[in-house]
Each structure stands twice: as C-alpha cells, then as structure tokens.
C-alpha cells in the first residue's frame, strides 16, 4: 500500500465515494453520484483519504461554523480499515472544529462508543430521527 494522502480537495469522480458507501452497505437511500457530490460540497468541512488516485476514506462536518459541528459520514474502505486512516481523518476533523472554536459532536452506534470515547467524546444525549420517504 502506498502512503495515504489526506486532503480537503474532493475527488474528481464522486463515483468512487458511491463505491465506498456501497462497500459499507451505507446506500440504503439510493443516493446518486450527484447527491454525494452535493452532500460533500455543502458540508462545512470534508476530508478525503487517497491511496494514489483511489479514494479509500472520507469524513465530513455539518456546521453553522459558530457553535457545533456534527461529524458524520466517517468511513474507510473495508480493505483499508484498522490502518489508522479513520483515526487520522477524525483527528483532523476535531482539530478543524477546535481551531474554529466549534464544539465537535457526533452520533454513532453503541458498538462504536468506546472508539469515540478514546478521542475524548462523551455520551451526552439521546438521538432521535424521523423517517422520510424519498
């Protein structure tokens, strides 16, 4: 594996992000390549991890840039997991929030609580969602 390159420059082809999402079973909403490009471009901050030209990881933050930043969509291709890529992206997202005096927050499954706790996150509320027919 080549050295992983981290950048805020989006991929030239968002079909790579669609493949990444699908490899994780994350596309239950049947998002299109255009949807994913819009999602990333409208985020307050997005970071991408590349192995040469191959997109292997991505994470983004939704924020007003003043109070809180919601970290979401942090993902790494299964074959690249457990190599520190997600950790590096998360640290960069946390750093971006802190440099801008924005409180980083996130939602995760219970199985990931201890992982995020190792970065200083603490459980603080109950999340809720409402289904939307798309």
């Amino acid at each position: 594996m080549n050295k992983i390159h981290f950048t805020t420059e989006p991929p030239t082809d968002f079909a790579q992000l669609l493949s990444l999402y699908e490899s994780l079973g994350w596309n239950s909403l049947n998002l299109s390549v255009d949807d994913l490009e819009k999602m990333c471009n409208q985020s307050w901050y997005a970071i991408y991890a590349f192995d040469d030209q191959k997109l292997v990881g991505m994470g983004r933050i939704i924020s007003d840039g003043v109070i809180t930043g919601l970290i979401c969509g942090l993902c790494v291709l299964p074959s690249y997991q457990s190599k520190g890529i997600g950790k590096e992206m998360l640290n960069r997202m946390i750093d971006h929030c802190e440099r801008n005096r924005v409180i980083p927050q996130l939602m995760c499954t219970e199985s990931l609580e201890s992982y995020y706790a190792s970065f200083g996150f603490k459980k603080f509320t109950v999340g809720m969602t409402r289904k939307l027919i798309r």
Side-chain angles (χ1 to χ4, degrees), residues 27 39 51 71 76 120 134:
N27 200 15
M39 173 189 82
D51 182 356
I71 294 172
V76 177
R134 291 179 60 112

Side-chain angles (χ1 to χ4, degrees), residues 44 62-69 97 100-103:
W44 181 61
I62 301 168
S63 180
D64 55 17
V66 178
I67 299 173
T68 59
C97 285
N100 288 280
R101 300 179 63 225
V102 166
I103 302 163

Side-chain angles (χ1 to χ4, degrees), residues 24-93:
L24 297 166
W26 280 18
N27 200 15
S28 62
L29 297 177
N30 294 314
L31 299 172
S32 68
V33 171
D34 288 341
D35 291 333
L36 293 172
E37 183 172 4
K38 183 177 180 182
M39 173 189 82
C40 290
N41 290 338
Q42 291 184 354
S43 295
W44 181 61
Y45 179 82
I47 186 161
Y48 307 91
F50 290 92
D51 182 356
D52 194 22
Q53 300 298 310
K54 179 180 182 179
L55 180 68
V56 298
M58 182 268 183
R60 63 193 185 95
I61 304 170
I62 301 168
S63 180
D64 55 17
V66 178
I67 299 173
T68 59
L70 180 62
I71 294 172
C72 54
L74 179 60
C75 58
V76 177
L77 268 177
S79 60
Y80 284 79
Q81 290 176 0
S82 301
K83 299 177 190 296
I85 296 168
K87 178 180 180 178
E88 180 64 24
M89 289 190 298
L90 182 58
N91 279 328
R92 289 176 184 226
M93 289 189 285

